[in-house]
Amino acid sequence: MRESHDIEQAIATFGDAVWRACLVYISPSEAEDVFQNTFISYAMHDADFSNAEHARAWLLRVAINNCKDILKSAQKQNTSLDELIETGGASSFGTTDDNIHALREALDALNALDDPPKTQLYLSLCEGYSAPEIAKMLDMPLGTVYSWISRGKRKLREVLS
């Protein structure tokens, strides 16, 4: 088991990214559970990470997988953006009153995507991962990741135009 200061450091460093990833898939109340379970998994995971990016990728993968498990078991829709914004979850995205409509529209479009390309596009656009990093993280061929990102961007452009 990891030391408490290591866990606290991971939460401080990667907590916002894990929280945002959860909110793309599930409601804020469910995201709280996934967030907690993700960092419990981190605490129990004894293997060392090669660097901070490796730890971040591992945490995001665990969180996304946990979110998908919740969605499968409950067989329900993604988080309503109204609920996300009303509960303050959108503040994680740096919103102001002036751009809340644009955020709502963009997140609606992202939430409407199937998975794939939803996960690949989220990791690319929102978390800043490159296609090779996403391919390694998701254990997918690089060409497949590029294709899903391209398809996802095309679908987003269609919806947002």
Side-chain angles (χ1 to χ4, degrees):
M1 189 157 151
R2 296 185 185 279
E3 298 288 326
S4 62
H5 66 80
D6 184 29
I7 299 164
E8 291 168 3
Q9 170 95 23
I11 292 171
T13 305
F14 308 116
D16 285 345
V18 170
W19 182 248
R20 286 190 308 265
C22 292
L23 291 178
V24 167
Y25 288 90
I26 56 179
S27 71
S29 60
E30 292 170 320
E32 290 173 4
D33 293 335
V34 170
F35 183 90
Q36 182 177 7
N37 290 338
T38 299
F39 284 99
I40 288 172
S41 295
Y42 177 79
M44 304 305 285
H45 186 72
D46 287 332
D48 289 328
F49 296 104
S50 57
N51 56 38
E53 244 344 272
H54 182 208
R56 180 177 184 247
W58 186 89
L59 286 163
L60 287 172
R61 184 75 253 151
V62 169
I64 289 169
N65 285 342
N66 285 337
C67 290
K68 287 180 178 181
D69 289 344
I70 286 174
L71 291 173
K72 285 179 196 173
S73 68
Q75 297 180 357
K76 54 188 197 176
Q77 300 291 323
N78 288 335
T79 303
S80 132
L81 287 175
D82 291 330
E83 179 183 350
L84 173 69
I85 291 166
E86 286 171 14
T87 60
S91 63
S92 300
F93 292 92
T95 60
T96 64
D97 289 340
D98 295 336
N99 65 8
I100 198 83
H101 179 72
L103 171 66
R104 182 182 308 228
E105 188 176 353
L107 286 177
D108 273 337
L110 183 61
N111 279 335
L113 293 177
D114 292 328
D115 196 20
K118 183 183 199 174
T119 298
Q120 292 81 356
L121 196 57
Y122 170 78
L123 290 171
S124 174
L125 297 178
C126 298
E127 294 300 329
Y129 282 105
S130 67
E133 292 170 323
I134 295 168
K136 185 176 179 183
M137 186 186 312
L138 300 179
D139 194 27
M140 298 179 87
L142 181 58
T144 304
V145 172
Y146 278 122
S147 293
W148 284 122
I149 290 172
S150 176
R151 289 177 192 169
K153 285 181 178 179
R154 186 172 44 246
K155 288 181 180 180
L156 282 179
R157 273 192 295 272
E158 290 171 6
V159 171
L160 295 174
S161 60

